Amino acid sequence: MTTFATYVITLLCLLLPTMGYCYDLVSEVKDGEGALVENAVITATPLSGEIKKPEKNLTAEIDQIDKTFVDFVTPIMVGTTLVFPNSDKIRHQVYSFSEAKKFEIPLYPPGQGRATPVTFDKPGVVVLGCNIHDWMKAYVYVVETPFFAKTGKNGKATIKDIPPGQYKIEVWHPYIKKSSATVKQPVNIGKESDMKVDFVIDVKKALTVRRAPGSIGGGVYP
Amino acid sequence: MFLFVNLAAMANARSIISENLIVEYRVFNTIMDNRMRQISESARLLSMDYAFKQSIFSVDNKTLISIIENLRQRINADFITLVSLEYTVMADTIKPDLSGKQFMSRALIEKAEEQGELSSITIREGGYYQIEIIPILAPDPIAWLVIGFLINDTVLKDIKNLILAQISVFELDSGGRLKIVASTLPEGLKKLLFGKVKSANLSVEGNQSIILGQNEYISLISPLEKKGGSNLYVLLQRSMDDVLEPYYRLRTRLAIISLIGLLISFAVSMRISRSVTRPVSTLVDGVRQIEGGNYDLHIGVTQRDELGELSNAFNNMARGLKERDLVSDLLGKVVSPVIAKELLSKKVELGGEEKEVTILFSDVRNFTALSEKYPPTIILNMLNKYLTVMSAIIESHGGVIDKYIGDAIMALFGAPISHPNDVDRALNAALDMNEALEKLNVDFQETGIPPIDIGIGINTDIVVAGNMGSAHRLNYTVIGDGVNLASRLEDLTKKYKKKIILSDSTYKKIKDSYKIEQIAEEYVKGKSKSTIIYALIGRVGKE
């Protein structure tokens, strides 16, 4: 899903004609067996280290539908504020014990804006859970660059409107194995041959709580 | 027989034990698995405790230890260790100072990471523990919970209550030394396992026999499942005695029952044989006595069965025999034996039949004068001697003494039993009587008794023979004219000075040859017609 941030970047690109053309970077992610990998996040970080701070407050949302976090993976730029609407008819709780952002939103009722928005101010992986539904899980991938995209079911992600220049392209996935090669650099954005960067990563089985059929209960599922 | 049954029972016990042990091994593993599952269920519940998850990263180490100690008590585990994702101990309930140090087995955690959770067996501080390693999910793993349950005798005893076999869990180190981790065997027997269980025992497939003390144990050694890196084996044993115990009990009972049965049947047969053989032998004895002529016996058999009846019948018979003997004896004395026999053999009733009978009358001459001259005792003595001799002669010729009339004898030939030569018998008897008298006279002379002379009259006639008298007292005798004639003929011996006189009817019926002379034609008293009379002199060929 295209995030709100992407639109912002696109806008930036249009507003800065001095930088000339912006380019789209396409990535395809497969696992070791050639299967397309969904929910992988591709990031492009300028090697120059110059990152323009967004002019507006960035926001994003993670909904809760049928006792599931939607989306499962949400890449955001540092400083983004996440809102947690509740589309279910029951209350939910959201917590994170992750170093990048520890927080807890106590049980809150269904509807929009009933939970305090949370601003993610440190890069890193934040795992979200719900303390009354063991199987509910979501990943917030907080990155420092505004250039990122998430692979869809077709394993493809497109980072739009990247200004030309030298970049470090990285891949991340909630279940990525450490052995995987995750970085490709330098990638010359603007150079025709560099505009498609593919990754092959190793994905491990997730240790998670499986939701039992009928949506009640669960068990640890290797 | 017992030996055969014994062998069969032993073989049967062995095969039953063998089958049972295999089943019991499966049950043992299932129980151990279930125990693990229970452990992991408990562990999982703990791991999902939100407050617990929350506290892992927010409290000081002492509090954390206190928290997991609390968890440990909740599920009754023997230890809990909290391990970080970096394989360091975050907290341990046994050794608090382990915090921050490397967890004892990184491999176990890595395996758990791979599988999601792990059941295994591990050793710590010399103890063997079944452990369960589960992640604490928040909702990704944030740490590992290692929960340990000690394998000890109590655990095995609990299992033994279900599977009945003796359970020992042991380890053989690389040197082949036995280390018993836990066992349900009594201390004494446990010690005996050393030296009996060696590396060689491990390679035995199926059951093996291990003798502990004096008892044979059918044993099954199998590796403990989910034993992790340890070298643990489980030894299941069942004592032959335990299995055979019901059989032994049965055998003892059978022996007792058969002994009792034997005794009872012995007693019963003794009783029966006594109740049968005793009266029977008494009866046999009685029969012998009766055979010997002793009718005075009474058999004291009081049983109420057939033998009792037989004895009663026997006693009655003896009494009857005695009475009959008495009667017969007395009868023989009172009447002639032949008549007595006749009387005894037939129903005694009044009445008679017409028969041709030869009647012999003998009389001592001048007996009246004789009895006046001598004392009665001498006369009686003489008479008895005389009558005894004469009676014997008459009877020897088949004659029957009808009666004694003082010194006279009346004898019958042809009644009650007829012979074809009754007449000749009578004649011979008479001749013999005369001969005997000569000898008798010699005897008499020696005792001072004067010699006597006798006369004999013989007549043959149809007379009535039978029992005469009243219903209560009767005589067997003959009645008829012929009797009187015989008496008259005897009288006539004095007149003609002859010893024996025969009537004409007798003479006509003689078959043998005798010296006979016709005397006269006589008118006998009471007879209207005259009859020719003959004198019998002697036998032909004799003097």
Side-chain angles (χ1 to χ4, degrees), chain B residues 247-264:
Chain B
Y247 162 71
Y248 286 146
R249 221 179 308 141
L250 186 73
R251 196 174 65 173
T252 316
R253 271 186 205 162
L254 272 179
I256 290 171
I257 287 168
S258 44
L259 198 71
I260 290 172
L262 214 65
L263 283 174
I264 288 174

Side-chain angles (χ1 to χ4, degrees), chain B residues 363-367 370-371 374 379 382-383 385-387 390 407 433-434 436-438 440-442 444-445 449-455 499:
Chain B
D363 189 30
V364 178
R365 286 185 194 153
N366 304 318
F367 183 73
L370 209 66
S371 47
Y374 293 91
I379 294 298
M382 182 270 288
L383 199 59
K385 263 186 183 170
Y386 163 77
L387 288 176
M390 294 307 156
D407 59 310
M433 281 166 78
N434 275 330
L437 185 66
E438 284 170 25
L440 203 61
N441 276 335
V442 176
F444 286 162
Q445 270 182 331
I449 298 168
I452 53 170
D453 205 4
I454 59 168
K499 288 184 173 167

Side-chain angles (χ1 to χ4, degrees), chain B residues 202-217:
Chain B
L202 301 181
S203 50
V204 175
E205 241 179 66
N207 297 291
Q208 48 190 307
S209 170
I210 295 177
I211 311 279
L212 297 179
Q214 288 169 359
N215 213 332
E216 182 185 355
Y217 284 84

Side-chain angles (χ1 to χ4, degrees), chain B residues 335-339 356-363 386-387 389-405 407-417 422-423 425-430 433 455-461 463 465 476-479 482-487 490 506:
Chain B
V335 299
S336 151
V338 178
I339 292 172
E356 189 189 81
V357 177
T358 299
I359 302 134
L360 181 151
F361 248 95
S362 82
D363 189 30
Y386 163 77
L387 288 176
V389 171
M390 294 307 156
S391 297
I393 290 165
I394 289 164
E395 281 169 2
S396 74
H397 285 281
V400 168
I401 308 290
D402 183 81
K403 58 176 80 77
Y404 300 112
I405 309 159
D407 59 310
I409 300 167
M410 176 181 165
L412 308 173
F413 292 84
I417 296 154
D422 278 332
V423 173
R425 284 168 181 249
L427 265 55
N428 281 315
M433 281 166 78
I456 298 170
I458 300 170
N459 179 39
T460 304
D461 201 355
V463 293
Y476 184 86
T477 186
V478 291
I479 289 175
V483 180
N484 298 329
L485 183 57
S487 173
E490 184 266 320
T506 303

